[in-house]
């Protein structure tokens, strides 16, 4: 009777996963900077305006990534931009 081979060694897969994690860890330059706020409506508008004034949309791709109105009337929102204009 022929012997059934066992599972293949996982060393290659482990090495590929580790290499991918190192590459992603070093790629922090291209990722977006995000910050989440929970503010009353008028303060939320002012905070978003601060971001757009400090980090112009054309250079930093600044945007309100997501927002929602909370039951108490406050606005929870996430601002997103590039780390630099380069």
């Amino acid at each position: 009777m022929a012997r059934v081979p066992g599972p293949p060694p996982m060393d290659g897969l482990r090495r590929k996963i580790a290499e991918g994690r190192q590459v992603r860890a070093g790629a922090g330059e291209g990722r977006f900077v995000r910050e989440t706020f929970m503010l009353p409506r008028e303060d939320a508008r002012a905070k978003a305006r601060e971001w757009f004034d400090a980090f112009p949309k054309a250079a930093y791709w600044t945007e309100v990534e997501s927002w929602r109105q909370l039951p108490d009337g406050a606005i929870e929102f996430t601002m997103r931009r590039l780390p630099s204009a380069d």
Side-chain angles (χ1 to χ4, degrees):
M1 230 171 154
R3 184 173 167 259
V4 176
M10 302 301 277
D11 296 334
L13 179 59
R14 286 186 189 109
R15 186 174 57 253
K16 284 285 191 187
I17 291 172
E19 288 171 2
R21 286 179 179 160
Q22 284 180 339
V23 167
R24 282 192 303 275
E29 287 280 322
R31 295 190 179 155
F32 285 100
V33 174
R34 290 177 173 85
E35 194 168 341
T36 301
F37 303 94
M38 284 191 321
L39 300 167
R41 182 181 300 268
E42 292 306 314
D43 294 339
R45 285 182 177 162
K47 180 58 76 175
R49 178 57 44 210
E50 281 178 32
W51 268 61
F52 285 115
D53 290 343
F55 309 105
K57 184 174 183 135
Y60 291 90
W61 294 3
T62 304
E63 70 176 22
V64 177
E65 186 173 61
S66 63
W67 69 275
R68 67 182 180 131
Q69 185 171 355
L70 301 173
D72 65 355
I75 305 295
E76 179 181 29
F77 63 104
T78 301
M79 296 296 298
R80 177 181 90 171
R81 67 174 176 84
L82 289 173
S84 72
D86 296 339

